[in-house]
């Protein structure tokens, strides 16, 4: 890979990602020694997460001290608070896999300028796979240009997903969409690291991907890698406002369109006029937004943990 031809900011992100990957690789040799804390049921954090995040932030701010930071473990406590440039970091995506010795995990680093992702790196240390992209310059795996798959029929498609696992996730809602997609496609996969899942869409290994409950740091880097590989990414109604909506669908253009058609009824997006409509006479379950009514202004249903706009 000719790193000399890469954008300087991307080069710094690659250096940070490789440093984090080296920490993961060393720690993976002695998992019994890991100190593991539980953030919430089924949501773990280790000293490796913190060490990786520390070396990433140190590397990025060493080169760009006036940039902002949004990181999974430390939030916005580091970096400049009001910079137009914000690094969005997941130091170890797939922590549960990591602590079990299941070799599907990575580090994810993205740089957003005024809320638009411009640089992206996802590094898988177990395979030494470096996925990266600069806006407008394509997506790559090591030195190979990435393109999404050409499959057009859902019956031929391999789809990636992620299971909801945190308290407060809507399991019944997920199982319904899981059942629908499963019956339409050739197979569903759930390796357990969303950043890598998006890279697999970009590489054409998956034809599509969907998940709920994700945070900006899970998908920021992968979203640019998908779009630079010719894929589409959005929320369940097919709109581009997905970073803070905790729902994402991605795929090659044909499969993406079919996934959106299936997933639209399960979207959390609520139309403005429905929010302002008179309350029903009797209590009722929330009504999903029909596909035909998804035009016009939308409002994001905020949930605990949602971040302010970038």
């Amino acid at each position: 890979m000719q790193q000399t031809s890469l954008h300087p900011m991307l080069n710094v992100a690659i250096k940070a990602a490789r440093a984090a990957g080296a920490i993961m690789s060393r720690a993976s040799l002695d998992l019994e020694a890991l100190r593991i804390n539980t953030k919430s049921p089924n949501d773990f954090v280790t000293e490796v997460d913190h060490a990786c995040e520390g070396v990433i932030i140190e590397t990025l701010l060493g080169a760009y001290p006036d940039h902002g930071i949004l990181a999974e473990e430390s939030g916005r406590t580091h970096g400049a608070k009001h910079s137009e440039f914000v690094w969005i970091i997941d130091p170890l995506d797939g922590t549960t896999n990591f602590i079990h010795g299941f070799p599907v995990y990575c580090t994810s680093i993205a740089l957003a300028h005024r809320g638009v992702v411009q640089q992206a790196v996802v590094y898988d240390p177990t395979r030494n796979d470096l996925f990266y992209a600069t806006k407008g310059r394509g997506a790559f795996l090591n030195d190979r240009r990435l393109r999404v798959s050409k499959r057009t029929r859902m019956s031929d498609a391999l789809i990636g997903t992620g299971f909801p696992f945190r308290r407060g996730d809507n399991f019944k809602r997920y199982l319904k969409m899981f059942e629908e997609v499963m019956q339409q496609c050739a197979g569903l996969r759930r390796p357990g690291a969303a950043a890598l899942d998006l890279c697999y869409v970009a590489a054409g290994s998956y034809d599509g991907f969907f998940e709920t409950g994700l945070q900006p740091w899970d998908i920021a880097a992968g979203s640019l890698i998908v779009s630079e590989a010719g894929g589409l990414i959005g929320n369940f109604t097919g709109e581009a406002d997905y970073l803070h909506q905790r729902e994402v669908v991605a795929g090659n253009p044909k499969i993406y369109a079919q996934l959106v058609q299936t997933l639209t009824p399960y979207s959390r997006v609520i139309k403005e006029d429905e929010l302002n409509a008179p309350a029903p006479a009797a209590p009722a379950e929330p009504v999903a937004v029909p596909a035909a009514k998804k035009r016009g202004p939308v409002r994001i249903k905020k949930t605990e943990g949602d971040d302010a706009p970038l």
Side-chain angles (χ1 to χ4, degrees), residues 201-252:
V201 171
S205 304
Y206 288 159
D207 305 293
F209 168 78
F210 71 97
E211 189 167 350
T212 62
L214 294 175
Q215 296 283 3
W217 45 79
D218 296 311
I219 55 178
S223 68
L224 180 63
I225 293 169
V226 165
S227 59
E228 287 295 320
L232 297 175
I233 183 165
N235 61 31
F236 283 2
T237 59
E239 290 150 303
D241 185 15
Y242 55 84
L243 262 189
H244 295 276
Q245 284 205 15
R246 301 170 71 90
E247 63 181 42
V248 68
V249 56
N252 74 40

Side-chain angles (χ1 to χ4, degrees), residues 40-67:
S40 61
N42 301 327
D43 195 3
F44 304 103
V45 62
T46 71
E47 57 199 314
V48 178
D49 295 74
H50 291 295
C52 289
E53 186 166 298
V55 75
I56 291 169
I57 292 173
E58 181 183 359
T59 303
L60 297 177
L61 291 184
Y64 301 104
D66 57 339
H67 284 192

Side-chain angles (χ1 to χ4, degrees), residues 149-159 181 184-185 201 206-209 232 249-263:
S149 73
K150 294 188 169 100
R151 291 185 187 88
T152 59
R153 296 188 303 181
M154 276 291 286
S155 58
D156 297 330
L158 185 65
I159 306 297
V181 175
Q184 295 171 14
C185 70
V201 171
Y206 288 159
D207 305 293
F209 168 78
L232 297 175
V249 56
N252 74 40
K254 293 287 189 183
I255 299 301
Y256 173 85
Q258 293 168 73
L259 280 173
V260 166
Q261 189 173 14
T262 298
L263 297 173

Side-chain angles (χ1 to χ4, degrees), residues 49-125:
D49 295 74
H50 291 295
C52 289
E53 186 166 298
V55 75
I56 291 169
I57 292 173
E58 181 183 359
T59 303
L60 297 177
L61 291 184
Y64 301 104
D66 57 339
H67 284 192
I69 298 286
L70 172 60
E72 179 173 14
E73 307 307 336
S74 60
R76 292 182 179 272
T77 58
H78 299 281
K81 296 295 183 286
H82 305 291
S83 175
E84 292 183 346
F85 292 93
V86 178
W87 293 95
I88 307 171
I89 303 161
D90 191 339
L92 175 45
D93 187 23
T95 300
T96 302
N97 287 347
F98 178 78
I99 63 181
H100 286 86
F102 187 71
V104 182
Y105 47 84
C106 64
T107 190
S108 173
I109 303 172
L111 175 65
H113 179 245
R114 296 183 177 178
V116 178
V117 179
Q118 303 284 341
Q119 311 290 340
V121 176
V122 174
Y123 180 53
D124 173 357

